[in-house]
Amino acid sequence: MDNTEMKQIQWFPGHMAKTRRLIAANISLVDAVVEIVDARAPLSSRNPEMDHMTKGKPRLVLLNKSDLADDKTTQKWINYFRRNGSEALAVDCKSGKGLKSILPALKNTVLKELMSKRAQNGMSGAAIRLMIVGIPNVGKSSLINKLAGSKRAKVEDRPGVTRTKQWVKLDNNTELLDMPGVLWPKFEDQEVAVRLAFTGAISDDILDIETLAMKLLYYLAENYPNSLTERYKLVLSGDETGLELLENVGRKRGMMISGGKINTERAAITVLDEFRSGKLGRITLEAPEQREK
Ligand code: G4P
């Protein structure tokens, strides 16, 4: 991608520093870190600084929104994280699928060593404490709500009401720090930002919406051609440009403007909305083999 195409991505250094302090202040209180990533883009949706900030803590990676991702690639990502030393699970915080496996995975795998040490010392009943971390929009609040449910204390969200540290009991000996560690993604390359814009995790005005949709359509034509033939009844030759794909979607949907022209802006909004809501099928935007090259 041409560097000049993309608008400067807004960073929030103040916010970042605050989060760093918050995580640093609380990390010593927990036994394990639960890191949520987006199953559709598991590396693009994590901040590599998290590794450093949570260093030394056992980690469980949750590939959330797995209902929207391609199952085969999700399994490859699970294997990838396991190869790299973290237990990983696919979950869907919307329906709750996979959530029942979290506590057993923590106790039997991630914290196996700690649990057996505690058993030896007659401390099996001691609480396991957890912290949830992830970039915005990845599903941290949804996960905390699902896990803690009605046990989650309601804290008023208005000025003057201080939000104190809340521990929520998940079962007899597991407690969750009800204060997710939020870190912005790190845009190490522009493709990372583009994937996050596809999923809606960051504002899609990093590029103009048509360029963004063209890039998505191009990726889909290459990797998930059936999603386009089924949803938009496109007949693909295999060498269409992104613009041709976008125009074809607009034509198929009757999105015309005066002079017989296609309303590519409307077509772009439709493609992005339909991708994000899963109407184009279950699609993953990066695979471990591309990132391990
Ligand atoms: P955050 O705290 O990390 O910022 O994320 P949050 O839980 O607010 O979730 C962000 C959006 O992602 C929400 O959608 C939420 O419903 C959706 N989401 C979370 N987990 C999943 C999942 O496993 N699958 C799917 N398909 N979506 C998930 P929203 O549009 O902001 O709100 P709403 O749809 O809940 O109204």
Side-chain angles (χ1 to χ4, degrees), residues 26 30 38 76 101-102 107 123 125 154 159 162 168 192 208 212 217 228 236 238 244 272 275:
N26 289 294
V30 300
D38 187 323
K76 286 187 191 169
S101 308
I102 296 177
K107 291 178 186 177
M123 309 236 322
K154 293 211 178 358
T162 316
V168 184
V192 166
D208 73 87
L212 195 64
L217 286 167
L228 299 182
L236 300 172
E244 285 163 343
L272 288 164
F275 166 73

Side-chain angles (χ1 to χ4, degrees), residues 225-242:
N226 290 345
S227 68
L228 299 182
T229 52
E230 281 165 24
R231 183 81 192 165
Y232 302 116
K233 310 285 177 258
L234 298 191
V235 181
L236 300 172
S237 70
D239 56 11
E240 290 90 350
T241 62

Side-chain angles (χ1 to χ4, degrees), residues 21-270:
R21 279 198 302 274
L22 203 72
I23 295 179
N26 289 294
I27 193 73
S28 64
L29 304 177
V30 300
D31 301 304
V33 169
V34 177
E35 180 177 10
I36 312 194
V37 299
D38 187 323
R40 293 167 298 174
L43 287 194
S44 295
S45 61
R46 66 192 300 259
N47 185 312
E49 270 189 52
M50 206 65 100
D51 283 341
H52 176 69
M53 269 185 269
T54 60
K55 211 166 84 194
K57 290 291 166 188
R59 180 196 312 250
L60 174 65
V61 176
L62 297 181
L63 292 113
N64 189 36
K65 309 200 184 184
S66 60
D67 55 311
L68 299 173
D70 159 358
D71 265 341
K72 238 165 74 191
T73 315
T74 299
Q75 191 52 52
K76 286 187 191 169
W77 279 113
I78 290 175
N79 298 338
Y80 167 92
F81 284 109
R82 289 182 180 162
R83 274 199 306 282
N84 286 285
S86 294
E87 177 58 0
L89 291 175
V91 295
D92 163 3
C93 288
K94 213 158 191 174
S95 74
K97 202 169 159 203
L99 301 185
K100 281 202 173 79
S101 308
I102 296 177
L103 292 185
L106 283 162
K107 291 178 186 177
N108 304 332
T109 309
V110 179
L111 290 170
K112 199 173 168 189
E113 227 174 275
L114 178 74
M115 299 303 280
S116 63
K117 232 188 243 164
R118 285 185 177 176
Q120 279 165 18
N121 298 331
M123 309 236 322
S124 300
I128 294 171
R129 294 186 142 184
L130 307 170
M131 179 194 279
I132 289 178
V133 298
I135 67 166
N137 203 44
V138 83
K140 293 175 298 302
S141 319
S142 307
L143 178 70
I144 295 176
N145 280 332
K146 285 268 184 209
L147 290 181
S150 57
K151 288 167 272 176
R152 193 172 186 189
K154 293 211 178 358
V155 178
E156 282 183 75
D157 204 9
R158 60 184 162 84
V161 178
T162 316
R163 179 155 192 170
T164 52
K165 209 172 291 165
Q166 307 267 352
W167 289 95
V168 184
K169 239 171 149 45
L170 300 186
D171 67 10
N172 279 342
N173 69 340
T174 314
E175 292 175 11
L176 174 70
L177 185 58
D178 188 2
M179 185 200 61
V182 186
L183 261 197
W184 288 88
K186 198 156 196 163
F187 306 112
E188 57 199 359
D189 71 37
Q190 296 200 327
E191 293 308 313
V192 166
V194 168
R195 288 186 201 104
L196 293 173
F198 287 164
T199 66
I202 58 171
S203 159
D204 41 35
D205 65 9
I206 55 157
L207 283 173
D208 73 87
I209 194 138
E210 279 135 304
T211 307
L212 195 64
M214 283 188 252
K215 284 178 180 294
L216 178 60
L217 286 167
Y218 193 81
Y219 177 83
L220 295 176
E222 235 178 23
N223 297 281
Y224 295 92
N226 290 345
S227 68
L228 299 182
T229 52
E230 281 165 24
R231 183 81 192 165
Y232 302 116
K233 310 285 177 258
L234 298 191
V235 181
L236 300 172
S237 70
D239 56 11
E240 290 90 350
T241 62
L243 178 59
E244 285 163 343
L245 291 165
L246 185 62
E247 287 179 338
N248 289 342
V249 169
R251 199 172 290 118
K252 289 283 183 185
R253 288 285 173 97
M255 293 171 171
M256 312 304 282
I257 38 179
S258 57
K261 280 195 170 164
I262 295 157
N263 188 339
T264 46
E265 190 184 348
R266 257 186 78 198
I269 292 168
T270 300

